[in-house]
């Protein structure tokens, strides 16, 4: 391999504004997901239980909630897609709605965490896992249609989809950086509290960018 071959593999499609929007939306969504996902165990340790010793199974049930909700969303994606086609509903609007639902899940966990402690915080995290897990499953399943519609050249579809997949890593890396900066900067005041509103902002931004695509028209 030489440098030009490597760079060619990493070069996004040229003159493809729709693809750029879909890529940006996915990056924002994954950043929003990662702001809680990357720091999940810290949130359980310091947000849900404070500095008390964790002696419950909640840290295991929260990822399980994501898994169950994600499976339910995958199962429901087929009927939902058929309904969208029957009603001629733009897919982008449904995907943006999934972003909004994810933000609602974040808001519930944040609200119950700020205004309550103990069991209420634990229940808030479980509600967040179920609601946002389902929302992300819908987003992930239907979002593929947006990507396929945004590809500028079918002959380079494999390459361009590979570039699109980089949005997952880019979003999670961005989440790790933003989250670490926020937690360190406000460790003695807000700390992990700020992860939730920051995630809400990123997820809603993903929905807004999605609504700017032609698929939303």
């Amino acid at each position: 391999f030489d440098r030009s071959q490597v760079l060619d593999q990493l070069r996004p499609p040229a003159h493809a504004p729709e693809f750029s929007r879909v890529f940006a939306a996915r990056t924002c969504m994954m950043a929003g997901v990662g702001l809680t996902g990357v720091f999940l165990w810290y949130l359980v340790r310091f947000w849900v239980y404070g500095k008390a010793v964790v002696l419950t199974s909640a840290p295991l049930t929260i990822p399980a909630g994501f898994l169950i909700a994600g499976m339910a969303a995958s199962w429901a994606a087929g009927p939902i897609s058929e309904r969208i086609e029957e009603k001629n509903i733009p897919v982008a609007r449904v995907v943006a709605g999934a972003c909004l639902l994810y933000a609602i899940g974040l808001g519930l966990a944040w609200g119950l965490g700020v205004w309550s402690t103990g069991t209420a915080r634990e229940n808030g995290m479980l509600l967040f896992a179920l609601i946002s897990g389902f929302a992300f499953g819908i987003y992930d399943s239907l979002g593929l249609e947006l990507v396929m519609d945004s590809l500028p050249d079918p002959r380079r579809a494999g390459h361009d989809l590979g570039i699109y997949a980089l949005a997952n890593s880019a979003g999670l890396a961005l989440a790790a950086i933003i989250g670490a900066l926020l937690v360190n900067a406000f460790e003695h005041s807000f700390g992990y509290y700020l992860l939730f509103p920051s995630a809400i902002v990123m997820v809603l931004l993903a929905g807004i960018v999605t609504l700017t695509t032609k698929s939303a028209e």
Side-chain angles (χ1 to χ4, degrees):
F1 295 100
D2 58 32
R3 182 180 302 177
S4 62
Q5 288 177 305
V6 174
L7 292 178
D8 184 62
Q9 294 300 315
L10 299 175
R11 185 177 292 114
H15 310 295
E18 285 297 298
F19 181 87
S20 298
R21 292 189 184 97
V22 174
F23 183 92
R26 180 72 179 192
T27 301
C28 291
M29 185 64 179
M30 293 308 299
V33 171
L35 277 165
T36 53
V38 170
F39 299 91
L40 179 61
W41 297 103
Y42 292 98
L43 286 170
V44 171
R45 177 69 175 82
F46 297 104
W47 165 264
V48 178
Y49 298 107
K51 295 185 178 180
V53 177
V54 179
L55 296 174
T56 79
S57 61
L60 297 178
T61 58
I62 291 172
F66 271 113
L67 178 61
I68 294 170
M71 291 170 63
S74 298
W75 175 82
I80 291 174
S81 297
E82 292 178 1
R83 178 69 65 174
I84 291 172
E85 292 179 0
E86 292 174 0
K87 300 293 184 179
N88 293 321
I89 302 173
V91 176
R93 295 184 184 179
V94 181
V95 173
C99 294
L100 178 60
L101 183 59
Y102 195 102
I104 291 173
L106 285 165
L108 284 174
W110 184 36
L112 288 173
V114 169
W115 302 109
S116 59
T117 58
T119 303
R121 281 190 175 183
E122 183 178 331
N123 291 336
M125 288 296 289
L126 292 174
L127 280 174
F128 159 64
L130 291 170
I131 295 173
S132 58
F134 181 82
F136 184 75
I138 297 297
Y139 175 91
D140 210 29
S141 300
L142 300 182
L144 184 59
E145 294 188 30
L146 297 181
V147 184
M148 298 305 295
D149 291 341
S150 71
L151 297 179
D153 186 354
R155 295 170 298 180
R156 290 177 56 87
H159 171 271
D160 294 344
L161 286 173
I163 295 296
Y164 174 76
L166 294 177
N168 295 328
S169 301
L172 293 176
L174 184 63
I177 294 171
I178 294 174
L181 290 174
L182 288 174
V183 171
N184 287 327
F186 300 96
E187 181 179 3
H188 301 294
S189 52
F190 299 103
Y192 293 95
Y193 287 50
L194 291 179
L195 292 179
F196 288 98
S198 301
I200 291 173
V201 170
M202 296 305 296
V203 170
L204 291 179
L205 184 59
I208 292 171
V209 174
T210 299
L211 288 176
T212 64
T213 63
K214 291 182 179 179
S215 300
E217 299 175 355

